[in-house]
Amino acid sequence: MRTLSNLLAVPLLLVLLLGCCHASGSTNETAARQWFEQFNSDLAVQRNLAVEAGWNYAVNITDENSRKRVEAELKLTEFLKLKRTEMQQFAWRNFTDKNLTRLFSKSDDIGTSVANATMQELYSSVKTRLATFYNTAKVKDPRSGEMVPLEPNIVAAMADPDVSQLVKRDFWVGWRDESGKKMKNDYEEFVQLGNAMIREAGYANLAEYWQSWYEPTSDFEQTMEKLWTEFKPYYSLLHAYVRSKLRPHFGSEIFPLTNHLPAHILGNMWAQSWANVDHLTMPYPESWTVDITKEMLRKGWNSTTMFRVSEEFFASLGLGNMTDKFWAKTVMDRLPNVEMNCHASAWDFYTNEGDFRVKQCTSVTLPYLATTHHEMGHIQYFMQYEKQPVPFRDGANPGFHEAVGDTIELAVMTPEHLVKIGLLNSTIDSNEYYVNYMFLMALKKLAFIPFGYLIDKWRWSVFKGEVTPQQYNSAWWKLRCDLQGISSPVPRSEDDFDPGAKYHVPGNTPYIRYFVSHFLQFQFYEALCNKSGHTGPLYKCDFYQSKEAGDALKKMLSAGSSKHWEDTLEELTGTREVSAAPLIRYFGPLFDFLTEANKNSSEPLTWSSECPGDDWYTSTTAPPSTTAPPPQTTTSGSSGRLAGATWLQLSMAALLGALLSTLLTR
């Protein structure tokens, strides 16, 4: 019997032999184009089969669908390996046609698919186990004793201001016990297998492979660190201000002396968005009040309405409507009587016949309206680059794909646009009104950035062996305390595996794309606003119905990954670098407000890079909650989600903040 250690012995001779033969192949570019044309057609078929199987599993999680998904992935892997071998007949690195060279280069880089069938089966098996732990986890509700899933029950409880912090703490701990804690050994196996397999493709480890998707022209990790360093002072302003508002509300006893924010009180299971504490932190809470979620319901909006409104925005730019197959096959609502993955996502089926779909368990709320626009951004990207060869059917870099929908969100969220679509009667042109608006945007956009950075920063260290399995959890919390300024509400140990409580870790989905996208989206937004002829503050720009903005966006999207992303970025924005400058300009008036507000506060702008010590937890940790608060009311049409924006008459800005709270897309 072959053991895991036997399988991890990399066949270096094969790798060297493959590497030695590149230069000896043919440079006949006519023959190469003919070969590629057939390969491209076959690749679309194989990818379609794999995506179909993945979709069927995601919307109906069964053992049978899981088996079929693994089979389809293995068939795709074998196809890619076969074609990679065939490619060696060409010395494609020496082609004079650089576009053809790029096509072959992308086709040659098949990642972990280079490994043998036995390793592929083991890898697929461990990935399935990790996903199953996450997708099927349920937690005991401390109020009712009922076993409940993450979505919608636990997400809603964490967001609800009427649920006590003790109950939220129990949910916080329970979710990590039932998801991450159970998968630590499997994750260690996943890392070992993944690294061994990717070495056969010529990469040192999975970290190097994932970073290669950005075609870095300099040290990628240093580039990301520089971007974070540029932004961190502005995050510190927000962190200190929010801390100054939450400490008196929850009581100093739950705030460590290290000045970290307790992870469970920010309205989100991962503290990646703070939009649900808007009612406690708003700069000017006395502004005019209106309930936009209630207005959506009053007007009879449903999930289809929300998708149609999003479609109309893109169409107004000249990008076209969704396809008939999109409307026929998209899953907008939770399917009855099946276990499904509700994490919102967009899918390209590689048919060249307009088969694009979204999977989403929609509620008629402002957060889901924002989520819908985000996912429709992915669909528009798919539509615009559909005619590209399959290896080019991707974002210019992974951050581009995430940034497109968020760029549209920035326009849709403006009060000016909400008036246009009938959800507001008018706007109020005052400094206080727009400071509130920007603040609530910041609770989602700016609060997320360190979280978007630290997940892959942790994984890179794991993949490179700098963090061992015996250090997984301590290294995770070191980053959360240091970068995010967040600490656990209870002691953690290496018996826990808290990274696994976030979907993208067991899902093997790189996360740095979201960090990058949070800067790119403001670069895209500023460029499109300029092309639309917008004058005035950037945060008031709505480029709805601008054909000039639409033409520029369409040109960028239709290129896919056919060019280096720096070239694509330069064509739209005039710069070749990801930059924080447009984001800083956008939030300028808010940063001025936060600077002055923090001067009048006793809260320091900094926090400790180290997590609270065990002695602090020993002296302050309260016992588990045992009493149930009064039953919480729900809003009809919200798929069981506790009333988010409707729990009280939120201020205009707070409601716009709810729109920003796209909890399910990250």
Side-chain angles (χ1 to χ4, degrees), residues 303-315 319-323 326-327 330 332 345-346 356-358 360 368-383 401 404-406 408-409 557 665:
S303 56
T304 302
T305 311
M306 295 162 71
F307 277 86
R308 288 292 186 185
V309 167
S310 178
E311 175 189 49
E312 201 278 326
F313 188 100
F314 285 102
L319 270 65
N321 292 320
M322 297 294 104
T323 65
F326 172 86
W327 292 112
T330 281
M332 301 180 189
S345 54
F356 313 108
R357 310 175 200 174
V358 167
Q360 182 172 296
Y368 271 100
L369 182 61
T371 298
T372 300
H373 281 82
H374 176 88
E375 298 305 329
M376 292 285 267
H378 288 302
I379 298 297
Q380 276 292 340
Y381 219 149
F382 298 155
M383 290 172 59
H401 232 304
V404 171
D406 287 351
I408 301 303
E409 280 184 54
L557 301 182
T665 59

Side-chain angles (χ1 to χ4, degrees), residues 297-462:
L297 294 169
R298 188 187 70 80
K299 289 178 175 288
W301 282 38
N302 56 26
S303 56
T304 302
T305 311
M306 295 162 71
F307 277 86
R308 288 292 186 185
V309 167
S310 178
E311 175 189 49
E312 201 278 326
F313 188 100
F314 285 102
S316 82
L317 302 178
L319 270 65
N321 292 320
M322 297 294 104
T323 65
D324 291 341
K325 288 188 177 180
F326 172 86
W327 292 112
K329 296 185 176 183
T330 281
V331 173
M332 301 180 189
D333 303 292
R334 178 184 286 275
L335 298 175
N337 305 317
V338 297
E339 189 85 37
M340 69 173 286
N341 180 346
C342 274
H343 189 92
S345 54
W347 301 61
D348 181 357
F349 285 77
Y350 297 95
T351 62
N352 296 321
E353 297 175 354
D355 193 352
F356 313 108
R357 310 175 200 174
V358 167
K359 172 186 61 63
Q360 182 172 296
C361 300
T362 309
S363 295
V364 182
T365 63
L366 283 171
Y368 271 100
L369 182 61
T371 298
T372 300
H373 281 82
H374 176 88
E375 298 305 329
M376 292 285 267
H378 288 302
I379 298 297
Q380 276 292 340
Y381 219 149
F382 298 155
M383 290 172 59
Q384 300 306 325
Y385 62 50
E386 182 181 24
K387 301 308 179 185
Q388 289 281 359
V390 173
F392 287 166
R393 286 175 65 163
D394 206 348
N397 73 35
F400 274 61
H401 232 304
E402 299 303 331
V404 171
D406 287 351
T407 301
I408 301 303
E409 280 184 54
L410 289 170
V412 170
M413 292 173 206
T414 59
E416 288 77 7
H417 188 76
L418 292 178
V419 170
K420 293 174 185 175
I421 61 176
L423 294 179
L424 274 181
N425 291 325
S426 62
T427 63
I428 300 173
D429 193 14
S430 71
N431 179 67
E432 292 80 5
Y433 182 92
Y434 282 99
V435 166
N436 274 351
Y437 169 68
M438 283 182 281
F439 176 75
L440 291 154
M441 185 82 78
L443 288 181
K444 176 182 181 265
K445 299 287 186 183
L446 304 188
F448 173 84
I449 288 175
F451 186 76
Y453 179 38
L454 69 87
I455 289 184
D456 278 359
K457 188 174 177 65
W458 175 82
R459 283 194 285 198
W460 296 335
S461 296
V462 169

Side-chain angles (χ1 to χ4, degrees), residues 437-491:
Y437 169 68
M438 283 182 281
F439 176 75
L440 291 154
M441 185 82 78
L443 288 181
K444 176 182 181 265
K445 299 287 186 183
L446 304 188
F448 173 84
I449 288 175
F451 186 76
Y453 179 38
L454 69 87
I455 289 184
D456 278 359
K457 188 174 177 65
W458 175 82
R459 283 194 285 198
W460 296 335
S461 296
V462 169
F463 294 154
K464 290 188 291 185
E466 296 168 356
V467 169
T468 68
Q470 294 72 36
Q471 302 166 322
Y472 277 174
N473 217 46
S474 59
W476 170 259
W477 279 105
K478 168 66 175 175
L479 289 174
R480 293 209 70 186
C481 291
D482 182 17
L483 301 182
Q484 202 180 4
I486 301 293
S487 62
S488 165
V490 298

Side-chain angles (χ1 to χ4, degrees), residues 290-293 365-367 642-650 654-655 658:
V290 65
D291 189 333
I292 293 183
T293 292
T365 63
L366 283 171
L642 294 173
T646 60
W647 65 271
L648 60 82
Q649 289 291 308
L650 297 173
L655 284 161

Side-chain angles (χ1 to χ4, degrees), residues 128 190 365 475 518 621:
T128 297
F190 160 77
T365 63
H518 272 62
T621 300

